Amino acid sequence: MAGSTVPSKAHPSKVQDSPEGDDVARRLLGSAAQLAYDPATEVDWETPLDKEFHGASPEWSTLYGTPYWRELTEAQRKELTRQEAASVASTGIWFEMILQQMVLRDIYMKDPAGAEFQWALTEIAEECRHSIMFARGAQKLGAPHYRPRRGVMELGRAFKTLAFGEAAYAAILVAEEVLDVMQRDWMRDERVVPFVRTINNIHVVEESRHMKFARDETLKRLEGAGWARRQINAFVVAVASYFIVTSMVNPEVYRRAGLDRKRALAAAKGNEHHKSMMRSSCSGLMDFLASARLLTKPALAFYKRANLI
């Protein structure tokens, strides 16, 4: 993600580029030039789906460890993880579209010759490829187009239009970091279908650059920020994070996997194992938000509701 590095109360598109910001962007551009992937050729799209594999590490399933999970056949478990992986991918597409629009708005008046501007377009190009990759991956997993609830979609529409500065970049970071931890497990797990492991590997490698920039931008935008501004943005980021994380697994995955939707939802809601997985995966992220003084009491309430802390 690209943006300015000089704190300002003005809209970020009016903030000028800085030498320090260009230095970070140049390093990221160099990384992208050396290590980038084309999912169209890197992912095996031709081999038919092998249903002997999971779609994600079973331990990441929302039902793993519950009595209901123990009742499922191995085939049902594998189908559930495939549907859950497809749902996470669909949520990823939704937020990547929000991300791209926020970044484009952020660089609207920047110098096209600057490294920050060019990094922003490089990141957007990577996100476009990721979205296509996720869409094809979900389709190959035999999943429908999962999407967040209509109300959440409309909140996302408002967020992408109004969020800027540290609120935009910190929310981007939360979405990317949560997905990153999951995918690092999935890409190493030989129980996961090979083409999904490749997708996860591509996303982890390229998103590491995006997360680096998001962290850097969040801190720079907060330089000189007063108490009120931090309180407001901490709350906005926490609310956005709550809706992103709670939208990752669509309730329809249970019906699609042939399970009792109502019973599965109740089991998932009370699944302490999954909550623990989410909390442990976000420990580094929460440390960062705390260091940026974005873990206010109101914000903590939303992170706890999303089982991120």
Side-chain angles (χ1 to χ4, degrees), residues 94-109:
W94 166 63
F95 196 76
E96 284 179 345
M97 291 177 69
I98 292 174
L99 179 160
Q100 291 170 49
Q101 293 177 74
M102 291 194 296
V103 173
L104 277 173
R105 191 178 73 242
D106 195 42
I107 65 166
Y108 180 66
M109 294 183 67

Side-chain angles (χ1 to χ4, degrees), residues 14 44 50 60 64 76 93-94 97 111 113 116 127-128 138-139 147 156 188 193 224 229 233 273 277 280 290 300:
K14 297 180 182 179
D44 179 6
D50 186 343
W60 275 101
Y64 184 86
Q76 287 176 313
I93 294 170
W94 166 63
M97 291 177 69
D111 179 5
E116 286 195 55
E127 296 293 12
C128 285
Q139 182 181 33
R147 66 176 71 188
R188 301 185 186 105
V193 66
R229 177 172 157 186
N233 284 318
H273 168 81
M277 292 284 284
S280 62
L300 280 169

